[in-house]
Each structure stands twice: as C-alpha cells, then as structure tokens.
Amino acid sequence: MKVSGFTFLRNGTLLGYPYIESLRSLLLVCDEVFVAVGQSDDDTLARVRGIADPRIHVIETVWNEAMRDRGYVYAQQKMIAQFNCSGDWAFYLEGDEVIHEDDAPKIRAALERHVDDLEVEALVFDYHHFYGCPDLVAKSPAWYRRAPRVIRNSIRSWAPDGLFWVVMEENKRGRYPRAALAGCPIYHYGHVRSAEKMQEKIRQVSRYWNHQPKAHDYSQIDASILQPFTGTHPQGVQAWLAEYAEPAFKADPAYRPSKRERRHRWMMKLERLLGGLDLTKKHYTLVSRP
C-alpha cells in the first residue's frame, strides 16, 4: 500500500499557519507528499524546501486572482496537488491541521484495512477545533465534527472547495464519497493563531470569497459552545503553540448570540435529547466503522 499526502500553501508564515508542523505530521503517515506553493510574499517556499525530506515534492503555482467565487481558487490549488498523487490513497491536510504522533499508526492501519474494500472511498476524521487559546475547543453545528481527509486515488473526484470532495460516477452527476471512520481526530489550530495574524488572514482571503474583510475579535463568540480540551496536543506543534498562539483569551460576557447561533443552541439541545444525534452537515456517506 502506498499513501500520498498533499496540500497547498501561500503566505503561510505571513498568515500565521503552523504549516511546517502540519507537513511534518503528514510525513508520519505518507510515502510521498505534494505541496502546491503559490507565489508568496514571505519565506513559505524556502521553509517548505528546508524540511529537506526526499518524500516532499514542491509544485510552484500562480493563483488565479480573478477567481473570487466561493473560494474556488482553493479548490484549484488543492486539485493541482492531488492530481500529482500516485498512491492508493491521497491524504489532504490543510496548513493549520496537525496529526497526533500517537494516531499515525492507527491511520496507517485503517488505510491498510480498507485498501482492498472498494466500497470505502474515503476516510473520515473527528475534529478538535481549537478556539481562542489551545485549552478550548469549539463544538456546535457551526463547526464540522467530522470531515473526509483521505480519498481513494483510483476514483474520479474533485473539490468544489477546500473542505470536501465530490465523486463523479457520471459526467453530469456527482455525490459525496462513501467513507469509513478513521477512529482518531485532526487537530485544527486555525483559530488560535495570534489575533494579528488572524486579521491579516481575513484581509487576504476575503477577496477569494468576494467578501469585504471584517474586523476580527476572538472574544465575539457564543461562549456556550466552548469546552475545555482535556487531551494532549501533538508533540510537533507544542513549540509553535508556545510561540505563536494567542496567549490570552476571554469571551465577551456581553456578547449577544446571532439568530444563527441561537438556532445552533437549539440543535445542540435536540442532539442531547435524542442521545447524541449529529445534526451537523456531512460531506460523506458512512458505510463502515473503524
């Protein structure tokens, strides 16, 4: 079995991504890793090359600055990297996502277990969405609880955006992939980077969604969705957290939840009443457990 990894990056340092830590964690699982690096205003390309692992293959790209429709430029960059993968599986990890070293053997074992089961087209991971600081995670229907991050590399798939895949069974029709659970989480650190880096990230990426950039303030959140994180962070990201994560966070007690957030509160109550029902949107069809 051969496992390919892939991702895309641009201005990773300038925007405060733990992308080196992310790539090193991906190397714990993959036999090759393709990184589409867009023209940047910082040292992203040099730092990726500086990992100096022969399994990493850099693809220098130019982003389509005219593409401002719902983040589709991310899909374009994602697919540039994916189309270079040659393994049985293609493992996509975003620049603010990290694999725990304890989970790497479990992931490899799950892929080995399903490699000959053609009904399983993808592997779905649970998520720890850290928010505001490394000690809190966000849990509500606004934050996807699970997402596919590995796709079988022998099927026709494409990405409408950076988050998920569509499998094309016919030329004019697509569906979400059939998936098994990985049985372990992805550690998502995009919302613990410093407030300054987060503001710069919002300023730069808003144009690709045809949005006007807004002022960012971590404190403006419904605190009822935040829960203490009781696990351990991956060893490879701990130095980054100590140096680059937002050092202090406190939710604004005067914050008034939006209509959407109030609706999510009711959804979470319903989930608890119905014994753990998951009402979040799913970009996959579950066909197998771990």
Side-chain angles (χ1 to χ4, degrees), residues 127-165:
Y127 262 79
H128 292 315
H129 296 288
F130 297 95
Y131 185 90
C133 69
D135 301 323
L136 293 172
V137 288
K139 293 190 176 183
S140 91
W143 300 75
Y144 50 91
R145 296 192 181 112
R146 288 173 173 164
R149 277 294 181 259
V150 177
I151 194 78
R152 188 177 291 276
N153 206 31
S154 58
I155 62 174
R156 298 174 65 187
S157 65
W158 68 283
D161 64 15
L163 180 60
F164 62 92
W165 284 286

Coordinates of all heavy atoms in Angstrom, one line a residue, residues 127-165:
Y127 N -12.8 15.9 14.7 CA -12.1 17.2 14.7 C -12.0 17.8 16.1 O -13.0 17.8 16.8 CB -12.7 18.2 13.7 CG -12.0 18.2 12.4 CD1 -12.2 17.2 11.5 CD2 -11.0 19.2 12.1 CE1 -11.5 17.2 10.3 CE2 -10.3 19.2 10.9 CZ -10.5 18.2 10.0 OH -9.8 18.2 8.8
H128 N -10.8 18.3 16.4 CA -10.7 19.2 17.5 C -10.4 20.6 16.9 O -9.4 20.9 16.4 CB -9.4 18.9 18.4 CG -9.6 17.6 19.2 ND1 -10.7 17.2 19.8 CD2 -8.7 16.6 19.3 CE1 -10.5 16.0 20.4 NE2 -9.3 15.6 20.1
H129 N -11.5 21.5 17.0 CA -11.4 22.9 16.6 C -11.0 23.7 17.7 O -11.8 24.1 18.5 CB -12.7 23.3 16.0 CG -13.1 22.6 14.8 ND1 -12.5 22.8 13.5 CD2 -14.2 21.7 14.6 CE1 -13.2 22.0 12.6 NE2 -14.1 21.4 13.3
F130 N -9.7 24.1 17.9 CA -9.3 24.9 19.0 C -9.7 26.4 18.7 O -9.6 26.8 17.6 CB -7.8 24.8 19.2 CG -7.4 23.4 19.6 CD1 -7.0 22.5 18.6 CD2 -7.5 23.0 20.9 CE1 -6.6 21.2 19.0 CE2 -7.2 21.7 21.2 CZ -6.7 20.8 20.3
Y131 N -10.1 27.0 19.8 CA -10.6 28.4 19.5 C -10.1 29.3 20.6 O -10.2 29.0 21.8 CB -12.1 28.5 19.5 CG -12.6 29.9 19.2 CD1 -12.8 30.3 17.9 CD2 -12.8 30.8 20.2 CE1 -13.2 31.5 17.6 CE2 -13.2 32.1 19.9 CZ -13.4 32.5 18.6 OH -13.8 33.8 18.3
G132 N -9.5 30.4 20.2 CA -9.1 31.5 21.2 C -7.8 31.2 21.9 O -7.0 32.1 22.1
C133 N -7.6 30.0 22.3 CA -6.4 29.5 23.0 C -6.3 28.0 22.9 O -7.3 27.4 22.5 CB -6.4 30.0 24.5 SG -7.6 29.1 25.5
P134 N -5.2 27.4 23.1 CA -5.0 25.9 23.0 C -5.8 25.1 24.0 O -5.8 23.9 23.8 CB -3.5 25.7 23.1 CG -2.9 27.1 22.9 CD -3.9 28.1 23.4
D135 N -6.4 25.7 25.0 CA -7.1 25.0 26.0 C -8.6 24.9 25.8 O -9.3 24.2 26.6 CB -6.9 25.6 27.4 CG -5.4 25.7 27.7 OD1 -4.7 24.8 27.4 OD2 -5.0 26.7 28.3
L136 N -9.1 25.4 24.7 CA -10.6 25.4 24.4 C -10.9 24.9 23.0 O -10.1 25.2 22.1 CB -11.2 26.8 24.6 CG -11.2 27.4 26.0 CD1 -11.7 28.9 25.9 CD2 -12.1 26.6 26.9
V137 N -11.9 24.1 22.9 CA -12.4 23.7 21.6 C -13.8 24.1 21.4 O -14.6 24.2 22.3 CB -12.3 22.1 21.5 CG1 -10.9 21.7 21.4 CG2 -13.0 21.4 22.6
A138 N -14.1 24.4 20.1 CA -15.5 24.9 19.8 C -16.3 23.7 19.3 O -15.8 22.9 18.4 CB -15.4 25.9 18.7
K139 N -17.5 23.5 19.9 CA -18.3 22.4 19.5 C -19.8 22.9 19.3 O -20.4 23.2 20.3 CB -18.3 21.3 20.5 CG -16.9 20.6 20.6 CD -17.0 19.4 21.5 CE -15.6 18.6 21.5 NZ -15.7 17.4 22.3
S140 N -20.2 22.9 18.1 CA -21.6 23.3 17.7 C -21.8 22.9 16.3 O -20.8 22.6 15.5 CB -21.8 24.8 17.9 OG -21.5 25.6 16.8
P141 N -23.0 23.0 15.8 CA -23.3 22.7 14.4 C -22.5 23.6 13.4 O -22.5 23.3 12.2 CB -24.8 22.8 14.2 CG -25.3 22.4 15.6 CD -24.3 23.1 16.5
A142 N -22.0 24.7 13.9 CA -21.3 25.6 13.0 C -19.9 25.1 12.7 O -19.2 25.6 11.8 CB -21.2 27.0 13.7
W143 N -19.4 24.2 13.5 CA -18.1 23.6 13.4 C -18.2 22.2 13.1 O -18.6 21.4 13.9 CB -17.3 23.8 14.7 CG -17.2 25.3 15.1 CD1 -18.1 26.1 15.7 CD2 -16.0 26.1 15.0 NE1 -17.6 27.3 15.9 CE2 -16.3 27.4 15.5 CE3 -14.7 25.8 14.6 CZ2 -15.4 28.4 15.6 CZ3 -13.8 26.9 14.6 CH2 -14.1 28.1 15.1
Y144 N -17.8 21.8 11.9 CA -18.0 20.4 11.4 C -17.3 19.5 12.4 O -16.1 19.7 12.8 CB -17.5 20.2 10.0 CG -16.1 20.7 9.7 CD1 -15.0 19.9 9.9 CD2 -15.9 22.0 9.2 CE1 -13.7 20.4 9.6 CE2 -14.7 22.5 8.9 CZ -13.6 21.7 9.1 OH -12.3 22.2 8.8
R145 N -18.0 18.4 12.8 CA -17.4 17.5 13.8 C -16.6 16.4 13.1 O -15.6 15.9 13.7 CB -18.6 16.8 14.5 CG -19.3 17.7 15.4 CD -20.3 17.0 16.4 NE -21.0 18.0 17.1 CZ -22.3 18.2 17.0 NH1 -23.0 17.4 16.2 NH2 -22.9 19.1 17.8
R146 N -16.9 16.1 11.8 CA -16.1 15.2 11.1 C -16.0 15.7 9.6 O -16.8 16.4 9.1 CB -16.8 13.8 11.1 CG -16.8 13.1 12.4 CD -17.7 11.8 12.3 NE -17.5 11.0 13.5 CZ -18.3 10.0 13.9 NH1 -19.4 9.7 13.1 NH2 -18.1 9.4 15.0
A147 N -14.9 15.3 9.0 CA -14.6 15.6 7.6 C -13.8 14.6 7.0 O -12.9 14.0 7.6 CB -14.0 17.0 7.5
P148 N -14.0 14.3 5.7 CA -13.1 13.4 4.9 C -11.8 14.1 4.6 O -11.8 15.2 4.2 CB -13.9 13.1 3.7 CG -14.8 14.3 3.5 CD -15.1 14.8 4.8
R149 N -10.7 13.4 4.9 CA -9.4 13.9 4.6 C -8.5 13.0 3.8 O -7.5 13.4 3.4 CB -8.7 14.3 5.9 CG -9.0 15.6 6.5 CD -8.6 16.7 5.6 NE -8.9 18.1 6.1 CZ -9.9 18.8 5.7 NH1 -10.7 18.4 4.8 NH2 -10.1 20.0 6.2
V150 N -9.0 11.8 3.6 CA -8.3 10.8 2.7 C -9.3 10.3 1.7 O -10.5 10.0 2.0 CB -7.8 9.6 3.5 CG1 -7.1 8.6 2.5 CG2 -6.8 10.0 4.6
I151 N -8.9 10.3 0.4 CA -9.7 9.9 -0.7 C -9.0 8.7 -1.5 O -7.8 8.8 -1.6 CB -10.1 11.0 -1.7 CG1 -11.2 10.7 -2.6 CG2 -8.9 11.5 -2.4 CD1 -12.6 10.7 -2.0
R152 N -9.8 7.8 -1.9 CA -9.2 6.7 -2.7 C -8.7 7.3 -4.0 O -9.5 8.0 -4.7 CB -10.2 5.6 -3.0 CG -9.6 4.4 -3.7 CD -10.7 3.3 -3.9 NE -11.0 2.7 -2.6 CZ -10.4 1.7 -2.0 NH1 -9.3 1.2 -2.5 NH2 -10.8 1.2 -0.8
N153 N -7.5 7.0 -4.4 CA -6.9 7.7 -5.5 C -7.2 7.1 -6.9 O -6.7 7.6 -7.9 CB -5.3 7.8 -5.4 CG -4.7 9.0 -6.1 OD1 -5.3 10.0 -6.2 ND2 -3.5 8.8 -6.5
S154 N -8.0 6.1 -6.9 CA -8.4 5.4 -8.2 C -9.8 5.8 -8.6 O -10.3 5.2 -9.6 CB -8.2 3.9 -8.1 OG -9.1 3.4 -7.0
I155 N -10.4 6.7 -8.0 CA -11.8 7.1 -8.4 C -11.7 8.6 -8.9 O -10.8 9.3 -8.6 CB -12.8 7.0 -7.2 CG1 -12.4 8.0 -6.0 CG2 -12.9 5.6 -6.7 CD1 -13.4 8.0 -4.9
R156 N -12.8 8.9 -9.6 CA -12.8 10.3 -10.2 C -13.4 11.2 -9.1 O -14.6 11.2 -8.8 CB -13.7 10.3 -11.4 CG -13.2 9.5 -12.6 CD -14.1 9.4 -13.7 NE -14.3 10.7 -14.3 CZ -15.2 11.0 -15.3 NH1 -16.0 10.0 -15.7 NH2 -15.3 12.2 -15.8
S157 N -12.6 12.1 -8.6 CA -13.0 13.0 -7.5 C -12.5 14.4 -7.8 O -11.5 14.6 -8.5 CB -12.6 12.5 -6.1 OG -11.2 12.6 -6.0
W158 N -13.2 15.4 -7.4 CA -12.8 16.8 -7.5 C -13.3 17.6 -6.3 O -14.2 17.1 -5.5 CB -13.2 17.4 -8.8 CG -14.7 17.6 -8.9 CD1 -15.7 16.7 -9.2 CD2 -15.4 18.9 -8.8 NE1 -16.9 17.3 -9.2 CE2 -16.8 18.6 -9.0 CE3 -15.0 20.2 -8.5 CZ2 -17.7 19.6 -8.9 CZ3 -16.0 21.2 -8.4 CH2 -17.3 20.9 -8.6
A159 N -12.7 18.7 -6.1 CA -13.1 19.5 -4.9 C -13.8 20.8 -5.3 O -13.2 21.7 -5.9 CB -11.8 19.9 -4.1
P160 N -15.1 21.0 -4.9 CA -15.7 22.2 -5.1 C -15.1 23.4 -4.3 O -15.2 24.5 -4.6 CB -17.2 22.0 -4.7 CG -17.3 20.5 -4.7 CD -16.0 19.9 -4.3
D161 N -14.5 23.0 -3.1 CA -13.8 24.0 -2.3 C -12.7 23.2 -1.5 O -12.5 22.0 -1.8 CB -14.7 24.8 -1.4 CG -15.4 24.0 -0.3 OD1 -15.0 22.8 -0.1 OD2 -16.3 24.5 0.3
G162 N -12.1 23.8 -0.6 CA -11.0 23.1 0.1 C -11.5 22.1 1.1 O -10.7 21.2 1.5
L163 N -12.8 22.1 1.5 CA -13.2 21.2 2.6 C -13.5 19.8 2.2 O -13.3 18.9 2.9 CB -14.4 21.9 3.2 CG -15.0 21.1 4.4 CD1 -14.0 21.0 5.5 CD2 -16.3 21.8 4.9
F164 N -14.1 19.6 1.0 CA -14.7 18.2 0.7 C -14.5 17.9 -0.7 O -14.0 18.6 -1.5 CB -16.2 18.2 1.1 CG -17.0 19.1 0.4 CD1 -17.7 18.7 -0.8 CD2 -17.3 20.4 0.8 CE1 -18.5 19.6 -1.5 CE2 -18.1 21.3 0.1 CZ -18.7 20.9 -1.1
W165 N -14.9 16.6 -1.0 CA -14.8 16.1 -2.4 C -16.2 15.7 -2.9 O -17.1 15.4 -2.2 CB -14.0 14.8 -2.4 CG -12.5 15.0 -2.3 CD1 -11.6 15.5 -3.3 CD2 -11.7 14.7 -1.2 NE1 -10.3 15.4 -2.8 CE2 -10.3 15.0 -1.5 CE3 -12.0 14.2 0.1 CZ2 -9.3 14.8 -0.6 CZ3 -10.9 14.0 1.0 CH2 -9.6 14.3 0.6

